[in-house]
Amino acid sequence: MLKHIKPLLYSIILLIVVSSCVSNRSTDKDHLVFRYNEHKNIGSLDPAFSKDLADIWATHQLFNGLVQMDDQLNVKPCIAKNWTITDSAKIYTFNLRKDVFFHKHKLFGNDSTRTVKAFDFEYSFNRLNDESVASPGSWVLKKVESFSAINDSTFQITLKQPFPAFLGLLTMKYCSVVPREIVEYYGNDFRSNPIGTGPFKFKRWEENIKLVFRRNNLYFEKDDNGTQLPYLEAVAITFLPDKQSEFLQFAQGNIDFVSGLDASYKDEILTTDGKLRELYANDVNMIRGPYLNTEYLAFFMETEIEELQALQLRKAINLGFDRAKMMTYLRNGIGIPASGGFIPKGLPGFDNSIGFSYQPEKAKQLVAQFKSETGIQNPEVTLTTTSNYLSFCEFIQREIQKIGINVNVDVIPASSLKDAKANGQLDFFRASWVADYPDAENYLSLYYSKNFAPNGPNYTHFKNETFDKMYEAAYLETDISKREQLYTKMDSLVMSSAPIVPMFYDEVVRFTRKEVNGLGINATNLLELKSVKKMISD
């Protein structure tokens, strides 16, 4: 337990939390319980609705799919023990394990359970496509021509066209297997009565208060030594509504894990260069790694504003501010300065050399060239953002003004920015892109001309015939290394036209109690608990 929490910072919160919460402090009896808080709440435990990270973390403990992703973003077997890809990479044939059981439920009859069959996947995928279900994950099967159970242990999917990232799509929780008899019995209430095959099974949910999972003793996966997973006996999730209270509970030892770096406690736990403060070193571990999220500024390439039409000024803005300095002052060093392209660090295809570094003198030369060629002596642009990123935009504003470009910062609500950028109503705006699936194609799709917003994610309306040809060629390239080379070339081509200003590639940051072992980290920020162990603290 930490003994030196800053009293001025936390005294009021401590009084509120202690008076309203029953302590969950670890004892010998519950040391095998992993406890965390979900301040964003959980909307559904039905994997067909696992859109938000909070829901994904919960359903990941309860459900499995055909395949799964390891911490290095490699697709590995799960319920499918192996698979073959044929017909020019359009037909995927999965051979299923025969030892995967659904969690026990009386509706399964005498044995209270049954094994998973290929027909269960056929039902689960049909459910994703069912308009009456209205799953937000139906897009995952957009490139699928057909799917069917060949027999009890063989499931086959046929694509409309080759799509190298398809296996990565299948790792999403949307594609989990669910039992027909349970889903049809509960209907919409399956969200709060989930039955899956995962390492933990549903026990109790008091919405907005507490959610509990228990160990699934029938789970099929084992560790490298042949020991059945999971090691934990239970997972307990609370729902304190703000990050500051969550951190206090973590500091007091009442929860085992905190994810992310919130402004309310970042200076309390970290130094300005992103190191764990000595005060916490004896009780807390920090793990960090790349996160598949690129934070950037974007130009609308069909703008009528002359300053933004000019490649010199777009490049000057890219060259005119110090990304490393920005990360140190505004993020305590958490985040990777974006000196590469749009593909973030952590994804194959990333290249740190194809972007822009801090070169203020070169930026000034480009601005002077623009003034000479156009006669515009006081170039001016307006950058639109939301309040959450105002500090970043103001930092860039100050730096860019030093190279001779006046920047106005316009703050609007997030919903307004989303609609305006989709409809081409903003000339220069802040944006971010978190990967839908772990493949660089997902990032490069933002620059394919057939994806112009609002009918696709190409918000900049960037268009380049060479890029389009390479993008289409990547679909047909089955050699992984060659496809990665294509990705890098495409990213480099985008950066040469500077339709965006990459600011930083985000990082996953996790803080755990010292007694927690085996909690890894991955670039999709997936919470994997099946291999976590807890030691009994003194």
Side-chain angles (χ1 to χ4, degrees):
M1 167 183 173
L2 295 174
K3 300 178 181 178
H4 306 287
I5 299 172
K6 292 183 178 179
L8 291 177
L9 181 62
Y10 293 119
S11 57
I12 296 176
I13 301 171
L14 181 60
L15 287 172
I16 295 172
V17 173
V18 170
S19 64
S20 61
C21 297
V22 177
S23 174
N24 291 321
R25 193 178 309 283
S26 178
T27 67
D28 287 350
K29 292 183 179 180
D30 69 5
H31 74 274
L32 291 177
V33 179
F34 185 87
R35 303 154 303 167
Y36 76 92
N37 184 68
E38 186 48 74
H39 71 282
K40 291 184 178 179
N41 219 327
I42 290 172
S44 176
L45 295 175
D46 182 343
F49 294 88
S50 290
K51 180 179 181 180
D52 298 326
L53 193 62
D55 295 357
I56 292 170
W57 278 8
T59 56
H60 185 62
Q61 317 313 321
L62 302 174
F63 295 91
N64 298 106
L66 291 164
V67 290
Q68 60 187 329
M69 193 83 66
D70 67 13
D71 283 349
Q72 287 71 50
L73 304 185
N74 298 308
V75 177
K76 299 290 186 181
C78 192
I79 294 178
K81 59 184 178 181
N82 55 56
W83 56 87
T84 57
I85 305 173
T86 55
D87 189 22
S88 301
K90 288 194 294 185
I91 296 179
Y92 290 69
T93 305
F94 297 90
N95 298 307
L96 308 189
R97 299 176 63 126
K98 298 180 180 180
D99 59 348
V100 181
F101 291 85
F102 284 112
H103 301 154
K104 287 191 174 183
H105 194 284
K106 61 183 181 181
L107 287 175
F108 287 127
N110 293 335
D111 295 330
S112 297
T113 185
R114 66 171 177 81
T115 57
V116 173
K117 308 291 186 184
F119 299 97
D120 293 310
F121 277 102
E122 186 175 301
Y123 169 75
S124 301
F125 280 33
N126 274 321
R127 184 168 177 257
L128 268 189
N129 278 335
D130 189 341
E131 292 183 0
S132 67
V133 174
S135 167
S138 59
W139 66 269
V140 173
L141 301 180
K142 185 178 180 181
K143 292 181 171 64
V144 172
E145 179 72 37
S146 63
F147 51 82
S148 63
I150 306 302
N151 52 48
D152 282 354
S153 59
T154 308
F155 185 65
Q156 191 171 85
I157 303 174
T158 301
L159 303 184
K160 298 174 183 176
Q161 65 181 72
F163 183 53
F166 183 63
L167 283 174
L169 276 180
L170 291 181
T171 67
M172 300 181 75
K173 298 320 296 179
Y174 294 132
C175 300
S176 301
V177 68
V178 296
R180 180 172 190 160
E181 54 266 64
I182 307 297
V183 174
E184 292 187 349
Y185 176 79
Y186 283 108
N188 292 335
D189 288 335
F190 184 68
R191 64 175 290 278
S192 56
N193 293 275
I195 294 293
T197 61
F200 299 93
K201 59 186 179 181
F202 175 75
K203 178 66 176 177
R204 179 167 57 94
W205 189 10
E206 298 174 57
E207 293 198 40
N208 303 315
I209 299 174
K210 194 169 187 177
L211 174 62
V212 178
F213 303 147
R214 296 297 302 271
R215 184 181 193 270
N216 174 18
N217 293 321
L218 298 176
Y219 193 58
F220 59 93
E221 287 192 284
K222 298 180 180 179
D223 66 14
D224 292 339
N225 297 318
T227 302
Q228 186 185 34
L229 298 174
Y231 305 117
L232 296 166
E233 283 298 324
V235 177
I237 306 167
T238 53
F239 297 96
L240 290 172
D242 68 89
K243 293 290 286 185
Q244 195 172 39
S245 298
E246 177 180 285
F247 180 74
L248 177 61
Q249 288 294 295
F250 172 73
Q252 290 291 300
N254 294 329
I255 59 177
D256 300 303
F257 158 79
V258 169
S259 176
L261 191 67
D262 191 74
S264 64
Y265 60 79
K266 69 181 180 70
D267 294 323
E268 165 72 13
I269 194 168
L270 292 184
T271 61
T272 56
D273 59 351
K275 301 292 192 302
L276 195 65
R277 290 192 182 276
E278 187 176 350
L279 183 66
Y280 291 84
N282 292 330
D283 300 279
V284 173
N285 286 325
M286 180 179 76
I287 48 179
R288 57 190 283 193
Y291 180 32
L292 299 187
N293 175 28
T294 298
E295 298 285 345
Y296 66 104
L297 310 179
F299 302 105
F300 185 59
M301 299 296 281
E302 295 179 347
T303 181
E304 296 181 359
I305 296 176
E306 191 168 356
E307 287 92 334
L308 298 181
Q309 289 175 347
L311 178 59
Q312 300 109 310
L313 285 202
R314 297 200 304 272
K315 285 187 174 181
I317 292 172
N318 267 288
L319 294 165
F321 69 101
D322 190 336
R323 292 165 173 82
K325 182 179 178 181
M326 182 177 70
M327 300 313 295
T328 297
Y329 286 118
L330 299 180
R331 292 265 300 196
N332 291 66
I334 301 299
I336 303 162
S339 57
F342 191 62
I343 299 172
K345 187 172 183 179
L347 266 189
F350 167 79
D351 188 330
N352 199 48
S353 68
I354 64 175
F356 296 90
S357 58
Y358 180 45
Q359 300 181 57
E361 294 307 315
K362 185 175 180 180
K364 289 176 183 177
Q365 291 172 10
L366 289 169
V367 174
Q369 182 183 347
F370 170 81
K371 290 179 179 179
S372 174
E373 292 178 358
T374 64
I376 299 175
Q377 296 305 306
N378 295 298
E380 185 173 350
V381 299
T382 297
L383 171 58
T384 305
T385 184
T386 58
S387 57
N388 286 347
Y389 284 84
L390 179 59
S391 59
F392 290 93
C393 293
E394 287 180 336
F395 175 90
I396 293 171
Q397 176 190 42
R398 291 191 296 269
E399 295 298 300
I400 297 305
Q401 286 176 340
K402 294 176 185 177
I403 65 171
I405 304 174
N406 293 320
V407 179
N408 302 308
V409 177
D410 184 22
V411 180
I412 63 175
S415 58
S416 299
L417 189 146
K418 181 179 179 180
D419 291 340
K421 75 176 184 179
N423 291 291
Q425 297 169 352
L426 300 177
D427 297 297
F428 187 29
F429 55 92
R430 191 213 69 82
S432 63
W433 188 260
V434 181
D436 292 313
Y437 46 91
D439 191 282
E441 181 275 338
N442 187 226
Y443 284 84
L444 297 170
S445 67
L446 272 72
Y447 305 98
Y448 185 48
S449 66
K450 294 182 181 179
N451 284 341
F452 275 10
N455 299 317
N458 187 341
Y459 302 110
T460 63
H461 281 208
F462 173 84
K463 184 175 183 179
N464 182 286
E465 289 185 9
T466 303
F467 178 93
D468 286 352
K469 288 178 181 178
M470 286 194 287
Y471 182 82
E472 291 165 359
Y475 276 102
L476 304 175
E477 182 54 70
T478 57
D479 185 287
I480 295 175
S481 62
K482 290 181 179 179
R483 192 165 69 250
E484 289 175 10
Q485 291 172 14
L486 273 174
Y487 288 161
T488 303
K489 288 180 181 178
M490 282 186 275
D491 203 11
S492 179
L493 185 60
V494 170
M495 294 310 298
S496 68
S497 295
I500 58 167
V501 181
M503 294 193 298
F504 63 93
Y505 313 118
D506 212 349
E507 286 188 285
V508 179
V509 183
R510 293 178 171 181
F511 302 99
T512 67
R513 307 295 304 178
K514 285 285 189 181
E515 55 264 30
V516 174
N517 291 315
L519 181 68
I521 195 165
N522 53 77
T524 60
N525 199 17
L526 185 65
L527 184 62
E528 186 65 80
L529 297 180
K530 64 187 177 187
S531 298
V532 168
K533 295 180 180 179
K534 279 184 67 178
M535 300 181 295
I536 302 176
S537 56
D538 295 333

